[in-house]
Amino acid sequence: MRIALVAHDKKKDDLIQFVTAYKPYLEIHELFATGTTGTRIINEVGLSVFRYKSGPLGGDQQIGSAIANNEMDMVIFFRDPLTSQPHEPDVSALIRLCDVYQIPLATNMGTAEVLLKGLEEGFLDWRLLEERRSR
């Protein structure tokens, strides 16, 4: 599976904690992240991550493009709902694309854990079906 990992500034520590705890689940998948988040995952957790640009510089849109091109299977985006984000329209567009293309999306640690546990149990294998990949 191709999994995007994104976090707003005040949620990056939470994402690092989550990725560290679930490293054995995540290391067998292709991981993608926005700039700073990806750098922290690489440096602090030791996972291989393809880095897009920083979110405010277009990284969220790059992930959205991957979703629209059926090149992303899951998004884990730890959002900070209490802080105004200058690139909020990009964040909203990314969430909308997850809904349009039926991409599983977690915006907090609880939901992310459920998604990874479901992935481990095979509940998301429908994403691997070839006919879904060719759309």
Side-chain angles (χ1 to χ4, degrees):
M1 291 273 190
R2 295 163 297 197
I3 302 171
L5 301 166
V6 184
H8 284 145
D9 288 344
K10 290 186 178 179
K11 296 293 182 175
K12 287 190 191 317
D13 288 342
D14 290 344
L15 185 65
I16 294 300
Q17 177 186 3
F18 179 82
V19 170
T20 300
Y22 286 94
K23 183 177 179 179
Y25 293 86
L26 293 168
E27 65 189 355
I28 61 173
H29 300 283
E30 289 181 72
L31 303 179
F32 301 81
T34 48
T36 308
T37 302
T39 298
R40 287 197 57 190
I41 292 168
I42 292 165
N43 292 339
E44 296 176 38
V45 186
L47 287 171
S48 177
V49 178
F50 177 87
R51 290 176 44 236
Y52 290 110
K53 293 182 180 193
S54 172
L57 298 178
D60 298 330
Q61 291 180 340
Q62 289 177 298
I63 292 173
S65 176
I67 291 168
N69 289 311
N70 202 25
E71 298 168 355
M72 197 65 63
D73 297 304
M74 179 185 295
V75 176
I76 296 175
F77 188 165
F78 284 13
R79 297 176 62 228
D80 178 3
L82 302 177
T83 303
S84 177
Q85 302 297 327
H87 62 295
E88 190 61 37
D90 298 338
V91 172
S92 296
L94 177 61
I95 292 169
R96 179 184 166 280
L97 285 169
C98 287
D99 289 340
V100 168
Y101 291 99
Q102 300 180 51
I103 300 300
L105 166 70
T107 59
N108 60 64
M109 196 175 298
T111 307
E113 182 175 36
V114 169
L115 279 184
L116 286 187
K117 296 281 187 170
L119 179 61
E120 181 186 32
E121 293 296 319
F123 298 152
L124 300 171
D125 286 352
W126 60 272
R127 284 289 313 154
L128 299 174
L129 297 175
E130 190 58 39
E131 59 268 17
R132 294 208 50 88
R133 293 251 190 233
S134 61
R135 283 188 185 176

